[in-house]
Amino acid sequence: GQQLNQSPQSMFIQEGEDVSMNCTSSSIFNTWLWYKQEPGEGPVLLIALYKAGELTSNGRLTAQFGITRKDSFLNISASIPSDVGIYFCAYMNYGGSQGNLIFGKGTKLSVKP
Amino acid sequence: EAGVAQSPRYKIIEKRQSVAFWCNPISGHATLYWYQQILGQGPKLLIQFQNNGVVDDSQLPKDRFSAERLKGVDSTLKIQPAKLEDSAVYLCASSPRTGAYNGYTFGSGTRLTVV
């Protein structure tokens, strides 16, 4: 599978601040996925993006599918303590007939009350 | 709907010992996955089953790791013998069918520490 590069690796912010993170690849994808993993749990799907340029919101979360189809962005507005966790971008690997998720290394978010 | 169940939650073993993890997927999900998540990294696929057949095990270290999914439901992942670098969280996931990310659900994982 192709490698996904996420930045930043970690963020320490104050409650109420906005957050931006991104994910890039050298390959073109048809779908970008964003997951959140809380401590001691498995990743949970937040947002799925299907089309270049698409902007999709889920509450205070907004994600965009880059025009080049090689990147994606996730923004969190007015952060709260429960936003703490690791945010992963991912794509569905259809190589062969597998169909499985490939993840980036994640952005770890810490929120100070 | 019950989620993906995994056990145990935690396991500490000495290097060269054996260990096994168990996963019960969501009822009716045909596809089951095992991922390894090393601290500071994203989950990495080890093996994928479609019903009780292996679809992809290209990243499974087959000299020490084995997995089975008897009867196409529960699955076990075994490490024998364990090495220090096997310390990680082992996540099981299931999905209704191959390639379906809607419904692709992860368990809470088993945290393995090899000392």
Side-chain angles (χ1 to χ4, degrees):
Chain A
Q2 299 299 322
Q3 190 167 354
L4 299 177
N5 302 305
Q6 287 192 248
S7 66
Q9 278 190 311
S10 61
M11 304 180 75
F12 296 85
I13 63 169
Q14 196 76 31
E15 181 177 0
E17 291 183 352
D18 296 343
V19 172
S20 290
M21 60 189 79
N22 67 63
C23 185
T24 61
S25 172
S26 57
S27 298
I28 290 173
F29 295 131
N30 293 321
T31 305
W32 280 96
L33 306 167
W34 284 94
Y35 283 80
K36 178 187 179 186
Q37 185 176 30
E38 296 186 1
E41 300 297 330
V44 173
L45 181 64
L46 296 174
I47 292 178
L49 300 161
Y50 306 99
K51 196 165 58 175
E54 177 183 359
L55 195 68
T56 297
S57 293
N58 179 3
R60 293 177 296 103
L61 276 62
T62 302
Q64 184 164 23
F65 193 142
I67 292 291
T68 64
R69 295 167 61 195
K70 292 183 176 181
D71 57 6
S72 180
F73 306 87
L74 177 69
N75 297 315
I76 305 173
S77 62
S79 59
I80 59 178
S82 62
D83 291 332
V84 164
I86 306 175
Y87 292 80
F88 293 100
C89 60
Y91 70 94
M92 183 63 73
N93 175 29
Y94 290 107
S97 60
Q98 290 95 333
N100 49 64
L101 287 174
I102 306 296
F103 290 85
K105 290 189 174 182
T107 293
K108 186 175 182 179
L109 178 63
S110 301
V111 180
K112 185 177 179 182
Chain B
E1 177 183 72
V4 175
Q6 290 190 246
S7 67
R9 285 301 308 267
Y10 306 93
K11 190 76 176 178
I12 301 175
I13 63 172
E14 294 183 349
K15 59 184 179 184
R16 290 187 289 274
Q17 284 188 324
S18 302
V19 65
F21 313 125
W22 174 82
C23 174
N24 180 236
I26 290 175
S27 177
H29 277 195
T31 312
L32 185 147
Y33 315 80
W34 283 101
Y35 284 81
Q36 180 192 58
Q37 186 175 19
I38 292 172
L39 186 65
Q41 298 186 20
K44 184 186 88 170
L45 181 73
L46 291 175
I47 189 167
Q48 176 181 348
F49 292 93
Q50 178 73 13
N51 297 311
N52 61 351
V54 175
V55 174
D56 183 357
D57 63 357
S58 57
Q59 297 196 78
L60 187 74
K62 298 180 187 63
D63 57 334
R64 299 183 300 105
F65 286 65
S66 65
E68 60 182 9
R69 191 184 184 197
L70 298 176
K71 300 181 182 179
V73 182
D74 293 5
S75 177
T76 56
L77 176 69
K78 297 179 182 177
I79 308 175
Q80 180 180 7
K83 293 185 175 181
L84 295 176
E85 59 260 36
D86 297 332
S87 294
V89 175
Y90 291 85
L91 293 163
C92 179
S94 69
S95 66
R97 62 189 185 283
T98 296
Y101 53 83
N102 283 313
Y104 202 120
T105 305
F106 286 84
S108 297
T110 296
R111 181 177 295 277
L112 173 68
T113 302
V114 183
V115 297

